[in-house]
Amino acid sequence: MPLTAQHIIEFNNIDLGYPPEHILLEKIHASGFRGELIALMGRNGSGKSTLLRSIAGLSNPLHGDIIVKGKPLETIKRQALARLLTYVGTAVHVPENLTVYEMVSLGRHPFTNWWGKLKSDDVNAVNESLKFVDMQDFTQKKMLTLSDGERQRVLIAMALSQDVEMILLDEPTAFLDIPNRMNMIRVLHEMSQKGKTIIYSTHDFDTALQFADKIWLLHDRKLIQGSPEDLGMLGHYNNVFKDAGISFDSKAMQFRNVHKEGKEIILNSENQNVENIWTAKMLQRIGFHVVSDMHVGKFIPRIEITIENDNYIWKLTADGKTVSFDSLYKLASYLTHD
Amino acid sequence: MTSYSWKMAILVCLLVLLLILDVGSGSVNIPIGNIIRSVFGSLELPFREHIILYDFRIPRILTALLAGAALSVSGLQMQTIFRNPLAGPYVLGISSGASLGAALVLIGSGAMATGLLQHWGIVAAAWIGAGVVMLILLVITLRIQNIMTILILGIMFSSGLSAIISIMQYFGNAVALKSFVIWSLGSLGDVSGDALIIMALTVVPGLILALFTVKSLNAMSVGESYASSLGVNILRVKILVFISTSILAGTITAFCGPIGFIGIAVPHIARFYTGRSTLRSLMPATMLMGMVLLLVADIFSRIPGSDQILPVNAITSLIGIPVVILVVIRSRKMLIN
């Protein structure tokens, strides 16, 4: 983070919410620099969209001035703001017949004449934006024929062609499968490396932890900001979901259901072979507490994994008898119905 | 030439063809050659034919061209701003507002206003009626975001106004009633001379204003918040569109009576014909298509070889209704995410 650089976006003691009195976020402080990829996270209804919309000038803070490039947002004219930042929300309407190229050219709106005719500069910007998101072969395709992932990439290209310094995206990875989601965040990351400030809301901790420079975490009317790791170390992820029975597993870097203390079971070894990891995961899922071999209690059931004829075999020993299984599914059904 | 340019060129040719066909058809047969030579000043027509041509046919055709363009453009603007394929001046109650105005003058005044006073009274009242409805719709639009709600309110509005008109008709005297019924059938043939000039002087600025909203409407067609972050002043565009639509739909309804379904159907025909949906392509196509369609309706309304003229409102409805039905059946999910 360039400590001497000027903030592109700054929140100082801002209240956000719905007028007149419904406060979603209270006295928040946050900042963003040029080239930062900022993931905006928090539970449903925590105020993510409201925060993004307020930066875009679409809704006003209840109290305080949002500062964009050193100036209060309110004092920036709409046309001037359109050269500084853009916002792509969740409800984008696609008219029938609209092509990918036409959709992306909408981003050139602030630069074209009264009739909206594209000049060569505009055409170049549109083509480059499409190329950036790898959609250059789709220019004449109709928007309504695209998949969710492709459509989302076109929306990014549209924002990109506007040639602004800051791009605000409301849930750009919603409805995307894992490869598309990863690809989307990679594109956002590349854009931020080229100097754009990107603020996107998401529920996807996984990609945010891997790519975001900063996380703005909304919880309990507050905004907590820091690197993904800062927030993790300070236990903030746990706080957000603690009343929902979910905890953040810092080792696995993922959220887990908090299981009630279950029956104990021994897994034959502590080594981290694939079969052990998946078996332990299954046991945890169905509510067992895996204990190590060391503190053997006589009546604790145990599982041993062996390989016979290239197939895994799970042997469960409990109450003096041993049963064999050839899949985790069968083992799980046996254990849950026992 | 792109396929779009070809399609537009074909549309222009079709328009010219229909113009010739329309000007040449009527109960009195005037050879097309003579008409063209007369228009270009190289032939003096007999007095009777001259009157028919310059006092009846040409004003009627000019009225059809203006009305076709104006109603279609107002429909396109409303469909874009409400992001709803079923919006149009008729559905949203603008024509009903105009009708109520006309009814107030024709039925309400009894037989007091006659002649010139009555003619201009109807025009003014219809115009005010359309304007008031548009104003109410504008106020509602600024307060309620849900497009479906606005559409339903418009339809309710329209039905409510029709109900008031029915009550007025029930109590109106027979002569006034007949003139109102004739007005409500719609006619392209009643506008000529000064009236035509005034109509043109009102409609043409309305069309020009519509052209100036094209760029912003284009941006708004994908959603207001995105348009706003492109620098579009949503409120200003909405007000401009409402002014332009009131001028266009209000003026035409005032002078010609209600002409249904042109506003709602033509933008869809233009979309289907050009395969485009950006307003920059659709606006010119919609204008031309509206002119073409109303000329067709005008030709159909005059049964060849007969003095009878069918009400143009009925013809346009018969053309427009199947289009609307097709749109409803075909309409797909247009929201993404």
Side-chain angles (χ1 to χ4, degrees):
Chain A
M1 180 165 59
L3 288 172
T4 52
Q6 195 201 21
H7 292 115
I8 189 162
I9 173 82
E10 227 180 324
F11 284 84
N12 277 321
N13 232 8
I14 308 279
D15 291 346
L16 295 177
Y18 308 113
E21 281 301 308
H22 186 81
I23 294 180
L24 280 171
L25 294 164
E26 207 171 7
K27 295 189 170 56
I28 56 169
H29 290 267
S31 58
F33 291 97
R34 189 181 128 85
E36 275 190 325
L37 178 62
I38 301 172
L40 177 57
M41 313 196 72
R43 296 185 61 180
N44 290 333
S46 59
K48 298 189 294 295
S49 299
T50 309
L51 183 86
L52 287 176
R53 290 178 62 84
S54 68
I55 302 175
L58 297 169
S59 68
N60 296 322
L62 293 176
H63 172 78
D65 283 325
I66 298 167
I67 309 290
V68 175
K69 280 201 104 183
K71 279 191 213 158
L73 186 60
E74 271 179 43
T75 65
I76 305 174
K77 290 221 168 70
R78 203 183 302 271
Q79 268 98 347
L81 196 64
R83 304 262 183 141
L84 277 179
L85 60 85
T86 191
Y87 163 84
V88 181
T90 47
V92 175
H93 177 94
V94 175
E96 213 183 344
N97 292 336
L98 198 73
T99 64
V100 167
Y101 188 86
E102 287 166 339
M103 187 92 187
V104 176
S105 8
L106 284 177
R108 299 304 294 172
H109 187 280
F111 304 90
T112 54
N113 65 3
W114 70 277
W115 183 242
K117 190 168 171 51
L118 300 181
K119 291 198 287 283
S120 64
D121 277 1
D122 304 310
V123 173
N124 288 341
V126 171
N127 286 333
E128 270 170 37
S129 306
L130 278 165
K131 213 168 157 191
F132 195 88
V133 299
D134 203 23
M135 288 293 286
Q136 68 274 31
D137 299 331
F138 289 70
T139 49
Q140 291 315 313
K141 276 247 169 79
K142 302 253 160 101
M143 283 301 291
L144 288 179
T145 65
L146 301 184
S147 73
D148 285 339
E150 290 161 350
R151 221 174 301 170
Q152 206 57 49
R153 270 161 38 211
V154 174
L155 295 185
I156 300 293
M158 180 170 87
L160 207 52
S161 77
Q162 202 178 329
D163 200 17
V164 286
E165 297 180 39
M166 179 158 55
I167 298 177
L168 311 164
L169 304 162
D170 203 353
E171 303 217 13
T173 57
F175 305 108
L176 300 189
D177 61 14
I178 294 171
N180 272 316
R181 205 188 303 161
M182 194 59 98
N183 182 28
M184 174 58 51
I185 302 298
R186 244 185 250 137
V187 167
L188 298 185
H189 182 66
E190 265 176 65
M191 279 156 63
S192 72
Q193 304 249 295
K194 294 200 164 178
K196 308 253 182 228
T197 306
I198 315 269
I199 306 175
Y200 74 104
S201 66
T202 182
H203 290 290
D204 186 20
F205 266 90
D206 193 30
T207 48
L209 288 180
Q210 289 184 61
F211 287 98
D213 294 306
K214 191 185 265 173
I215 286 182
W216 288 358
L217 187 64
L218 306 185
H219 178 54
D220 209 9
R221 291 182 165 196
K222 296 272 174 294
L223 186 154
I224 307 148
Q225 71 170 344
S227 78
E229 301 79 16
D230 283 333
L231 300 193
M233 277 176 64
L234 296 172
H236 287 302
Y237 303 139
N238 266 325
N239 289 342
V240 175
F241 295 106
K242 65 171 183 278
D243 45 340
I246 293 169
S247 77
F248 189 76
D249 180 339
S250 313
K251 271 192 198 136
M253 287 290 160
Q254 62 176 337
F255 285 94
R256 280 188 197 287
N257 191 14
V258 178
H259 294 280
K260 285 179 225 127
E261 277 305 299
K263 283 186 284 184
E264 293 188 324
I265 196 162
I266 295 166
L267 200 53
N268 68 336
S269 72
E270 289 273 300
N271 71 35
Q272 291 294 300
N273 289 337
V274 177
E275 62 270 25
N276 281 51
I277 294 169
W278 286 106
T279 307
K281 200 171 171 61
M282 181 278 286
L283 290 169
Q284 204 176 28
R285 172 169 63 84
I286 63 173
F288 279 88
H289 181 51
V290 181
V291 295
S292 79
D293 222 346
M294 297 304 160
H295 54 93
V296 190
K298 267 182 192 167
F299 306 111
I300 299 177
R302 69 186 291 141
I303 293 167
E304 274 180 80
I305 309 172
T306 56
I307 298 173
E308 286 170 22
N309 304 329
D310 283 345
N311 293 318
Y312 289 115
I313 299 293
W314 286 265
K315 285 182 177 157
L316 171 70
T317 311
D319 304 330
K321 65 175 184 185
T322 301
V323 197
S324 296
F325 303 91
D326 61 0
S327 76
L328 283 172
Y329 178 76
K330 287 177 186 162
L331 175 59
S333 341
Y334 183 85
L335 284 170
T336 47
H337 294 113
D338 192 21
Chain B
M1 260 191 357
T2 62
S3 73
Y4 175 75
S5 315
W6 274 114
K7 283 174 180 170
M8 292 298 280
I10 291 170
L11 208 52
V12 171
C13 294
L14 187 64
L15 185 66
V16 172
L17 211 72
L18 285 166
L19 275 176
I20 294 170
L21 194 65
D22 201 6
V23 82
S25 67
S27 52
V28 175
N29 183 37
I30 312 172
I32 294 289
N34 290 358
I35 292 174
I36 293 172
R37 269 185 284 160
S38 155
V39 168
F40 290 103
S42 62
L43 179 81
E44 191 83 7
L45 282 176
F47 181 69
R48 198 173 76 112
E49 292 185 358
H50 185 93
I51 294 285
I52 288 174
L53 187 61
Y54 290 99
D55 287 358
F56 292 98
R57 286 193 193 169
I58 289 179
R60 204 191 57 233
I61 285 170
L62 290 177
T63 306
L65 293 178
L66 283 171
L71 292 172
S72 319
V73 165
S74 85
L76 179 63
Q77 285 184 306
M78 309 209 91
Q79 286 172 12
T80 311
I81 212 152
F82 289 113
R83 283 192 297 288
N84 191 301
L86 292 178
Y90 216 61
V91 178
L92 286 168
I94 292 149
S95 307
S96 303
S99 299
L100 182 63
L104 280 172
V105 173
L106 282 167
I107 305 171
S109 74
M112 295 221 300
T114 46
L116 208 59
L117 181 65
Q118 192 193 43
H119 182 74
W120 290 107
I122 295 167
V123 170
W127 214 95
I128 292 167
V132 168
V133 171
M134 281 304 279
L135 207 64
I136 295 170
L137 274 179
L138 175 66
V139 172
I140 294 171
T141 315
L142 298 179
R143 282 167 178 270
I144 298 172
Q145 291 298 312
N146 191 317
I147 293 151
M148 214 54 202
T149 311
I150 297 162
L151 201 68
I152 291 167
L153 286 177
I155 294 168
M156 290 301 107
F157 222 76
S158 168
S159 309
L161 292 174
S162 305
I164 297 173
I165 295 170
S166 302
I167 294 172
M168 290 176 65
Q169 283 176 310
Y170 185 77
F171 289 107
N173 71 49
V175 180
L177 203 60
K178 191 180 179 202
S179 35
F180 177 73
V181 169
I182 287 171
W183 179 84
S184 70
L185 292 174
S187 164
L188 299 170
D190 292 341
V191 190
S192 58
D194 287 348
L196 182 58
I197 289 168
I198 289 174
M199 189 172 105
L201 285 179
T202 325
V203 166
V204 171
L207 289 173
I208 292 170
L209 187 60
L211 290 178
F212 275 95
T213 63
V214 161
K215 184 183 168 184
S216 301
L217 280 180
N218 233 357
M220 282 167 73
S221 68
V222 297
E224 287 178 18
S225 45
Y226 180 65
S228 189
S229 74
L230 286 171
V232 175
N233 185 336
I234 305 288
L235 179 65
R236 208 183 66 189
V237 175
K238 276 187 178 169
I239 291 174
L240 284 179
V241 164
F242 274 80
I243 292 174
S244 144
T245 311
S246 308
I247 291 176
L248 295 173
T251 307
I252 297 304
T253 314
F255 282 98
C256 308
I259 298 177
F261 289 96
I262 291 287
I264 182 172
V266 169
H268 293 295
I269 302 175
R271 263 183 215 111
F272 178 75
Y273 178 70
T274 59
R276 298 291 187 98
S277 62
T278 61
L279 271 271
R280 248 179 321 144
S281 311
L282 272 185
M283 187 65 87
T286 300
M287 266 186 208
L288 283 175
M289 193 63 90
M291 295 179 183
V292 164
L293 212 72
L294 214 48
L295 283 184
V296 172
D298 186 45
I299 292 168
F300 272 116
S301 76
R302 278 164 308 112
I303 310 156
S306 151
D307 285 341
Q308 291 295 317
I309 295 176
L310 297 174
V312 69
N313 191 9
I315 307 278
T316 55
S317 299
L318 287 177
I319 299 172
I321 288 167
V323 174
V324 175
I325 291 173
L326 275 177
V327 168
V328 174
I329 292 170
R330 247 169 48 91
S331 78
R332 283 181 276 171
K333 193 173 169 252
M334 285 192 253
L335 258 188
I336 78 165
N337 279 355

